[in-house]
Amino acid sequence: MRLVVALRVRDGSDVEIELSGELDASSAPQFKGIIEQAAGYSPKRLFLNMMQLTYISSAGLRVLIFAKQKMGTSTDIYVVGAREAVAQSIKLTGFDRSIFLVEEIPRT
Amino acid sequence: MRGASMKARSFPGDLDSLSLIRQFIADVAVEAGLDSCACQRLCLAVDEIVTNAIVYGYIEAGVKGTVDIIAQLEPTALVIEVEDTAAPYDPTARPMPTEEDLTRPLEERVPGGLGIFLATQSVDGLRYQRAGEKNRTILTMSRTRTL
């Protein structure tokens, strides 16, 4: 199963990236590419919509490190709607200390 | 696994094999009676081991090879052996991330070591052995209930 990524610019200076499918070492470069695109918008908030993401491995988590290091402290990164196994990996590796794990996109 | 307690399959040592391997593991895990949570954890652990073997053992070393998966159903456990023919590489040799590493902000993280950490946290047993010209990682998942 592959990964499908889509980027949407939202109201204000928010960017949403929707991820569908499976995020592993073979599909992580796609995710990285779209993070680089998102960085170009210098968003205040980056929403990673993972409602349709069924799988993540450490390769995907590494892209989260890349995102945080690329966008620095000027962008708040949210992981939205992560499924149980995905959320578990994010918490197990302590990533939820640096990104916001939320059920849905918060109002401004 | 009815009629046979062992299933083996060989996969090309490239990243396109990852999802095929996960599907193979998911199938044997279901047959072994693992619940869906245990299936997912086992798939993740195998994926992490296989990814390291392919990326470091083959792609970055500029060599080609296969990844062989051998699934053995034992009375109380499902045992998965992952074998590759790359240069000796023990995934368990590097130190695990410390509590400090795992609570460090992402901006300060060194992006290594997470894969093997997730793998060892996800299964009941993980060990490595060098077998002739092969790296072999053995992952064990206990069967708490059967279908």
Side-chain angles (χ1 to χ4, degrees), chain A:
Chain A
M1 203 186 176
R2 293 289 156 237
L3 180 73
V4 177
V5 297
L7 185 149
R8 243 179 0 125
V9 179
R10 297 174 61 91
D11 295 338
S13 61
D14 295 343
V15 168
E16 179 185 356
I17 293 173
E18 210 175 300
L19 298 152
S20 312
E22 298 180 347
L23 180 49
D24 64 10
S26 71
S27 56
Q30 268 178 272
F31 183 30
K32 190 177 184 207
I34 206 148
I35 289 287
E36 284 170 325
Q37 249 189 282
Y41 291 93
S42 299
K44 283 213 181 65
R45 300 187 302 174
L46 173 64
F47 298 108
L48 303 175
N49 183 335
M50 295 197 181
M51 291 190 233
Q52 303 303 323
L53 189 71
T54 57
Y55 177 81
I56 195 168
S57 71
S58 67
L61 295 177
R62 285 167 79 135
V63 181
L64 290 182
I65 294 179
F66 170 77
K68 199 65 191 162
Q69 292 182 349
K70 184 144 184 97
M71 295 160 100
T73 48
S74 52
T75 303
D76 286 335
I77 300 180
Y78 295 76
V79 164
V80 184
R83 300 194 184 185
E84 195 182 329
V86 172
Q88 202 179 358
S89 289
I90 288 173
K91 290 183 207 171
L92 190 58
T93 49
F95 279 39
D96 55 333
R97 292 168 150 257
S98 297
I99 56 100
F100 300 97
L101 264 180
V102 296
E103 304 275 313
E104 40 182 51
I105 293 181
R107 303 277 153 247
T108 319

Side-chain angles (χ1 to χ4, degrees), chain B residues 47-128:
Chain B
D47 185 354
E48 298 291 358
I49 296 298
V50 170
T51 297
N52 277 356
I54 291 172
V55 171
Y56 301 120
Y58 295 141
I59 296 175
E60 292 192 359
V63 300
K64 285 199 186 304
T66 60
V67 174
D68 297 339
I69 310 286
I70 301 105
Q72 312 239 35
L73 189 63
E74 295 179 358
T76 58
L78 175 61
V79 180
I80 307 291
E81 295 181 3
V82 177
E83 292 184 352
D84 67 74
T85 54
Y89 172 71
D90 178 356
T92 64
R94 80 177 280 171
M96 284 289 134
T98 61
E99 189 60 32
E100 202 190 319
D101 293 329
L102 294 170
T103 53
R104 192 167 289 139
L106 293 193
E107 297 94 322
E108 297 166 28
R109 297 251 188 152
V110 174
L114 285 178
I116 187 65
F117 170 69
L118 281 178
T120 51
Q121 294 293 305
S122 300
V123 291
D124 297 315
L126 193 155
R127 61 192 172 91
Y128 167 85

